[in-house]
């Protein structure tokens, strides 16, 4: 759904972290990207960041079980804001390890690599927990050129 009168365009996807949900989510992000006329590089980066954040929600917040996920994308002329909300146990962002870059891929530990990729493709990535409401949020921003 988009807002009129010059306000930011707002698009919302709601679903469950179940088998195959990433395909539905990628289609949503691609549709929003096309509607907003994002260039291919920006669209790819946003899809990758959203996919990583959604996978983390599924694997860590819901521990691989089925759970509710909401993705809200807002866009004005200068910036894209993506917010993922889940109602799982959450993850303490300070406990996410920083991946060690290695020459031999056999030695690569993938723990924390998704968060690194989110931070490399987006201009800002923030994690928050609203304990009273039982919500976890990942908020990512990307400047549009």
């Amino acid at each position: 759904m988009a807002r009129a009168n010059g306000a930011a365009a707002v698009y919302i996807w709601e679903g469950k972290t179940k088998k195959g949900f990433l395909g539905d989510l990628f289609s949503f992000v691609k549709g929003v990207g096309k509607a907003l006329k994002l260039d291919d590089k920006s669209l790819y980066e946003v899809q990758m960041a959203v996919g990583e954040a959604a996978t983390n929600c599924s694997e860590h917040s819901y521990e691989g079980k089925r759970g509710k996920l909401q993705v809200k994308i807002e866009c004005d002329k200068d910036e894209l804001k993506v917010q993922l909300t889940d109602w799982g146990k959450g993850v303490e962002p300070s406990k996410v390890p920083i991946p060690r870059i290695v020459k031999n891929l056999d030695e690569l530990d993938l723990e924390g690599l998704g968060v690194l990729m989110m931070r490399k493709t987006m201009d800002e990535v923030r994690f928050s927990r609203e304990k009273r409401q039982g919500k976890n949020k990942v908020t990512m921003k990307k400047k549009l050129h």
Side-chain angles (χ1 to χ4, degrees), residues 57-94:
C57 288
S58 177
E59 290 180 4
H60 301 292
S61 196
Y62 289 121
E63 299 177 317
K65 297 181 176 99
R66 190 176 175 149
K68 182 179 175 184
L69 178 65
Q70 180 188 73
V71 178
K72 181 166 83 170
I73 300 176
E74 297 179 67
C75 185
D76 61 26
K77 65 179 184 164
D78 299 323
E79 185 176 70
L80 184 78
K81 177 181 171 185
V82 181
Q83 187 170 69
L84 287 84
T85 303
D86 74 65
W87 289 260
K89 74 172 195 158
V91 174
E92 178 60 43
S94 64

